[in-house]
Amino acid sequence: MYDYHLHSWYSHDSTADPQMIVEQAEKVGLREICFTEHVEFDENGIGLRPMQISEYAECVEKLRKKSDISVRMGVEIGLKDQESFMRAYDLIKDYPIDFIIGSVHWTDEGDAYFPPFFQGRDKEEAYRRYLELAYPRCISSSKYHVLGHFDYPAKKAPYKDRSMCYKIAPDAFDRLFTYLIQNGIGIEINTSVYRTLDEKMWGLDILKRYVQLGGEFVTIGSDAHTPERVGWRIRDAIALAEQAKVRYIATFERKKCILHRI
Ligand SMILES: [Zn+2]
Ligand SMILES: [Zn+2]
């Protein structure tokens, strides 16, 4: 049980005490966690100041020593273009980073989290557009380990059924996955899209296609910004990956990929 997408007060959008995150992870029986604080030089333009990064590194080191579970230091970089990725990468490269998520939050048509992105679009159109707009951002670097939340617009989509499926955009999915696979980058199953414990998980067809194209590993993350959500539906995500015949769940240590057979 690994939760590989967690935010604490080192991210601009969380006030969670990292110590509480670790305690909750221990409580719910996780074996290893990775903090993935935002480093954004996309249109969000927030980043982390160097001072905060050294504080963050020290904090993770302290928590690692104190805890019985493995605690890793990661970042989530907002993908835009090569220049903004390198700005983020330069900021973190001298720190003992274990893991990097590349995520597309902003698109050239706005953040796919906010209502304007969905205006005048039905679900299929909105999701397809997101995947198309995500592609040029994803290919701006190959220095990240997984693509975060490929179903990002589903988080706040205004539709009754927010599920995403492969057939809404086969070409866009294939193009994206092909790039990732060819560059040794995996994908993430992000469980924050599920609001309740009984909401049916989607993505089986998408994961199956990822495997068919040669994808071998995924990471799984709750994207928790508060302690209560740590480990959220991780077990269900493992079951989904298993059902899709994904071979490995990956963890990372100093950017080295460690594969765990599902
Ligand atoms: Zn994100
Ligand atoms: Zn996140």
PDB file of all heavy atoms in Angstrom, residues 5 7 38 76 223 225, ligand 2:
ATOM      1  N   HIS A   5       0.912  10.457  -3.844  1.00  0.00           N
ATOM      2  CA  HIS A   5       0.508  11.812  -4.251  1.00  0.00           C
ATOM      3  C   HIS A   5      -0.122  12.482  -3.036  1.00  0.00           C
ATOM      4  O   HIS A   5      -1.298  12.272  -2.741  1.00  0.00           O
ATOM      5  CB  HIS A   5      -0.482  11.743  -5.427  1.00  0.00           C
ATOM      6  CG  HIS A   5      -0.691  13.051  -6.124  1.00  0.00           C
ATOM      7  ND1 HIS A   5      -0.913  13.146  -7.487  1.00  0.00           N
ATOM      8  CD2 HIS A   5      -0.718  14.316  -5.664  1.00  0.00           C
ATOM      9  CE1 HIS A   5      -1.063  14.426  -7.822  1.00  0.00           C
ATOM     10  NE2 HIS A   5      -0.960  15.150  -6.722  1.00  0.00           N
ATOM     11  N   HIS A   7      -0.146  16.188  -0.483  1.00  0.00           N
ATOM     12  CA  HIS A   7       0.238  17.596  -0.295  1.00  0.00           C
ATOM     13  C   HIS A   7       0.160  17.990   1.179  1.00  0.00           C
ATOM     14  O   HIS A   7      -0.712  17.514   1.905  1.00  0.00           O
ATOM     15  CB  HIS A   7      -0.681  18.509  -1.099  1.00  0.00           C
ATOM     16  CG  HIS A   7      -0.597  18.290  -2.578  1.00  0.00           C
ATOM     17  ND1 HIS A   7       0.369  18.877  -3.355  1.00  0.00           N
ATOM     18  CD2 HIS A   7      -1.336  17.523  -3.420  1.00  0.00           C
ATOM     19  CE1 HIS A   7       0.213  18.498  -4.620  1.00  0.00           C
ATOM     20  NE2 HIS A   7      -0.821  17.668  -4.692  1.00  0.00           N
ATOM     21  N   HIS A  38       3.508  20.978  -4.776  1.00  0.00           N
ATOM     22  CA  HIS A  38       3.431  21.696  -6.056  1.00  0.00           C
ATOM     23  C   HIS A  38       4.678  22.541  -6.320  1.00  0.00           C
ATOM     24  O   HIS A  38       5.121  23.299  -5.459  1.00  0.00           O
ATOM     25  CB  HIS A  38       2.254  22.679  -6.046  1.00  0.00           C
ATOM     26  CG  HIS A  38       0.916  22.034  -6.133  1.00  0.00           C
ATOM     27  ND1 HIS A  38       0.453  21.445  -7.288  1.00  0.00           N
ATOM     28  CD2 HIS A  38      -0.074  21.889  -5.227  1.00  0.00           C
ATOM     29  CE1 HIS A  38      -0.769  20.970  -7.076  1.00  0.00           C
ATOM     30  NE2 HIS A  38      -1.122  21.221  -5.831  1.00  0.00           N
ATOM     31  N   GLU A  76       5.240  17.803  -7.557  1.00  0.00           N
ATOM     32  CA  GLU A  76       4.307  17.766  -8.684  1.00  0.00           C
ATOM     33  C   GLU A  76       4.569  19.020  -9.497  1.00  0.00           C
ATOM     34  O   GLU A  76       4.341  20.133  -9.020  1.00  0.00           O
ATOM     35  CB  GLU A  76       2.856  17.731  -8.171  1.00  0.00           C
ATOM     36  CG  GLU A  76       1.835  17.735  -9.300  1.00  0.00           C
ATOM     37  CD  GLU A  76       0.378  17.661  -8.811  1.00  0.00           C
ATOM     38  OE1 GLU A  76       0.129  17.863  -7.608  1.00  0.00           O
ATOM     39  OE2 GLU A  76      -0.498  17.414  -9.666  1.00  0.00           O
ATOM     40  N   ASP A 223      -3.799  12.132  -3.748  1.00  0.00           N
ATOM     41  CA  ASP A 223      -3.802  13.588  -3.958  1.00  0.00           C
ATOM     42  C   ASP A 223      -4.421  14.301  -2.755  1.00  0.00           C
ATOM     43  O   ASP A 223      -5.084  15.326  -2.900  1.00  0.00           O
ATOM     44  CB  ASP A 223      -4.582  13.930  -5.235  1.00  0.00           C
ATOM     45  CG  ASP A 223      -4.080  15.191  -5.927  1.00  0.00           C
ATOM     46  OD1 ASP A 223      -3.288  15.934  -5.313  1.00  0.00           O
ATOM     47  OD2 ASP A 223      -4.501  15.432  -7.069  1.00  0.00           O
ATOM     48  N   HIS A 225      -5.017  16.613   0.279  1.00  0.00           N
ATOM     49  CA  HIS A 225      -4.537  17.916   0.744  1.00  0.00           C
ATOM     50  C   HIS A 225      -4.852  18.081   2.231  1.00  0.00           C
ATOM     51  O   HIS A 225      -4.563  19.103   2.825  1.00  0.00           O
ATOM     52  CB  HIS A 225      -5.177  19.049  -0.067  1.00  0.00           C
ATOM     53  CG  HIS A 225      -4.643  19.177  -1.472  1.00  0.00           C
ATOM     54  ND1 HIS A 225      -4.821  18.210  -2.439  1.00  0.00           N
ATOM     55  CD2 HIS A 225      -3.908  20.160  -2.066  1.00  0.00           C
ATOM     56  CE1 HIS A 225      -4.235  18.608  -3.565  1.00  0.00           C
ATOM     57  NE2 HIS A 225      -3.669  19.778  -3.369  1.00  0.00           N
TER      58      HIS A 225
HETATM   59 ZN    ZN B   2      -1.643  17.111  -6.467  1.00  0.00          ZN
END
